[in-house]
Amino acid sequence: MDVAGATFIVSGGASGLGAGTVRMLVGAGARALIADVDAARGEALARELGTGVRFVRTDVTDEASAQAAVNTARDALGNVRGLVSCAGIVHGEKVIGKDGPHSLAGWRRAIDINLTGTFNMLRLAAAEIANAEPNAGGERGVIVNTASVAAYDGQIGQAAYSASKAAIVGMTLPIARELARSGIRVMTIAPGTFETPMLASLPQD
């Protein structure tokens, strides 16, 4: 897909993989809406990249917040053609830890942000992209989800994280099959470990 002149929404776009994605898109001539909870980093990146980049503080788990990000992308930047979902958290906790069984709160938070947040952004962005005029090849846009190698090879303490990422992998094919008729491609990447602020926050052990 030629991204030049198109608008992409990047959730988790203020840092790490998301920020790298925003830089790549803008470098290729696209416009970008940074949707992130980190206002300081998001606003700084938008200022750095200048015209064609906006930041909207976005909680991907909240319907109104996510819809506001999509609306801003459409109204301020126009021609929404893509979503790259990079928002997510890591959660490390053993099923039977020193302080007892795995917390349900930790499990729910990982599932809510990583899985539900990804689906929330996807469904709302897809509805917007579906309104676009198709290009000469019949394509309206593309959606890229971010899973993890942990979806296939999770380690001890990654039950919640691996489950959330495996579910993203699992939902990709049925959604891709459905949205193909609207000219929207859907795919999921599964990166390995690389240095990001999220991983830097983890304890060394």
Side-chain angles (χ1 to χ4, degrees), residues 72-96:
T72 300
R74 178 194 64 222
D75 297 340
L77 300 173
N79 195 28
V80 177
R81 294 285 184 175
L83 165 71
V84 184
S85 284
C86 299
I89 61 167
V90 291
H91 182 81
E93 187 176 353
K94 292 182 179 179
V95 176
I96 305 174

Side-chain angles (χ1 to χ4, degrees), residues 8-104:
F8 278 74
I9 300 164
V10 183
S11 72
S15 63
L17 177 63
T21 300
V22 171
R23 293 181 188 279
M24 181 196 71
L25 288 166
V26 171
R31 297 182 291 271
L33 186 288
I34 302 167
D36 203 300
V37 293
D38 190 335
R41 282 190 172 131
E43 289 170 353
L45 182 58
R47 285 194 302 270
E48 175 194 334
L49 296 177
T51 304
V53 181
R54 291 291 184 94
F55 168 77
V56 174
R57 189 186 185 284
T58 307
D59 176 356
V60 296
T61 69
D62 181 79
E63 182 170 9
S65 182
Q67 185 66 66
V70 174
N71 292 349
T72 300
R74 178 194 64 222
D75 297 340
L77 300 173
N79 195 28
V80 177
R81 294 285 184 175
L83 165 71
V84 184
S85 284
C86 299
I89 61 167
V90 291
H91 182 81
E93 187 176 353
K94 292 182 179 179
V95 176
I96 305 174
K98 290 183 292 185
D99 299 322
H102 194 299
S103 67
L104 271 182

Side-chain angles (χ1 to χ4, degrees), residues 65-163:
S65 182
Q67 185 66 66
V70 174
N71 292 349
T72 300
R74 178 194 64 222
D75 297 340
L77 300 173
N79 195 28
V80 177
R81 294 285 184 175
L83 165 71
V84 184
S85 284
C86 299
I89 61 167
V90 291
H91 182 81
E93 187 176 353
K94 292 182 179 179
V95 176
I96 305 174
K98 290 183 292 185
D99 299 322
H102 194 299
S103 67
L104 271 182
W107 171 273
R108 285 174 175 148
R109 183 167 183 263
I111 297 297
D112 197 29
I113 295 173
N114 293 351
L115 174 59
T116 305
T118 296
F119 181 72
N120 190 33
M121 292 300 300
L122 183 152
R123 70 189 184 91
L124 297 174
E128 180 62 35
I129 297 168
N131 291 326
E133 288 296 320
N135 63 19
E139 186 175 33
R140 285 187 168 87
V142 60
I143 293 172
V144 182
N145 301 316
T146 302
S148 166
V149 67
Y152 306 97
D153 189 19
Q155 305 301 308
I156 291 172
Q158 288 189 325
Y161 181 72
S162 293

